[in-house]
Amino acid sequence: GAVVSQHPSWVICKSGTSVKIECRSLDFQATTMFWYRQFPKQSLMLMATSNEGSKATYEQGVEKDKFLINHASLTLSTLTVTSAHPEDSSFYICSAPGISRYNEQFFGPGTRLTVL
Amino acid sequence: DQQVKQNSPSLSVQEGRISILNCDYTNSMFDYFLWYKKYPAEGPTFLISISSIKDKNEDGRFTVFLNKSAKHLSLHIVPSQPGDSAVYFCAASPGSQGNLIFGKGTKLSVKP
C-alpha cells in the first residue's frame, strides 16, 4: 500500500513557540491531504483539508491563523502550530487518499506534540 | 453531535472466538464505510471498507456487514488472534476520496 510519513514523530516545545509538522506521501502524489487531531481516548477529529496549490479548508472551530497549512508540492503538506499553548498538546495525524477501489485513506504515523 | 458512533469503548474476546465490533451512523448520505486498526502512538491502518450499495464485504478473517435501514455496520473478526488487540475505528465517507468522519473507537483485547 501507499506510504505516508510524518516528521517529527514527537516534539516537546515551550509555550509560545511555533512547531512545524511535515507530512509526505512517499510513493504517490497527493493533491489533497487531511490533518487530524486526536486527544487521549477520543476520536480522530478532522482539522483541515490541505489542497496542493491552493488554500486549505478548515473545519468549524479550527483557527486558521493558529494552525497554518501549506501544501506546496504534490508530496508534501506542512502543519505549523503557531504560538503553541499547553492545550494544543495532542497527537496530530495526516492522511492522503488512496487510488484503489477501496476508497481508503493512508495515514502517517502521527506526531505527538507536548507543549510545556 | 456525533455522526458516527461506536458505543462500546472496549471488548474482550478469547483467542479463536469471534470478535464483533459495532458502529452506528446518522447520515444516510454516507457512501463508504471503513474500518481502521490503531496501535498507541501510531497512525491508523486501513483494514476493510464497504460501499453503501453492498451489504457485506469479506477479506480473510475480516468481514464487514452493512445494514442501511438500521444505519448500522459491524466488523467480524474470526478467528480472533492476540495480535488483533488494538483500537478499532469505524469511519464514514460522505463522498469518494473525501474526508473521513470517525467514531470514538473500540479497544479490542484478545486473550490467549
Side-chain angles (χ1 to χ4, degrees), chain A residues 72-108:
Chain A
S73 77
L74 289 171
T75 59
L76 173 65
S77 174
T78 60
L79 168 67
T80 301
V81 183
T82 62
S83 187
H85 290 283
E87 56 265 31
D88 298 324
S89 298
S90 187
F91 192 59
Y92 293 86
I93 311 175
C94 69
S95 73
I99 56 174
S100 75
R101 61 186 174 91
Y102 297 111
N103 205 55
E104 77 273 37
Q105 288 185 20
F106 297 100
F107 285 82

Side-chain angles (χ1 to χ4, degrees), chain A residues 32 34 36 38 41-44 46 49 59 91 93 97-110 112, chain B residues 2 31-32 34 36 38 41-46 49 57 89 93 95-105:
Chain A
T32 301
F34 302 100
Y36 294 84
Q38 185 188 24
K41 297 185 180 180
Q42 295 295 315
S43 180
L44 285 84
L46 179 68
T49 301
E59 295 300 300
F91 192 59
I93 311 175
I99 56 174
S100 75
R101 61 186 174 91
Y102 297 111
N103 205 55
E104 77 273 37
Q105 288 185 20
F106 297 100
F107 285 82
R112 170 70 61 191
Chain B
Q2 272 192 286
D31 61 354
Y32 270 94
L34 306 92
Y36 283 83
K38 185 180 182 300
E42 293 184 10
T45 303
F46 170 74
S49 69
N57 188 24
F89 287 95
S93 171
S96 179
Q97 306 297 322
N99 61 291
L100 296 177
I101 300 172
F102 284 85
K104 287 191 174 182

Side-chain angles (χ1 to χ4, degrees), chain B residues 36-83:
Chain B
Y36 283 83
K37 177 180 179 180
K38 185 180 182 300
Y39 295 112
E42 293 184 10
T45 303
F46 170 74
L47 272 178
I48 191 169
S49 69
I50 187 168
S51 164
S52 60
I53 63 173
K54 297 191 174 183
D55 54 19
K56 178 183 176 181
N57 188 24
E58 190 173 353
D59 184 2
R61 297 186 298 115
F62 303 92
T63 303
V64 56
F65 295 92
L66 175 63
N67 182 334
K68 285 188 69 177
S69 60
K71 295 190 178 71
H72 176 84
L73 65 153
S74 60
L75 174 68
H76 293 211
I77 306 173
V78 55
S80 301
Q81 300 172 353

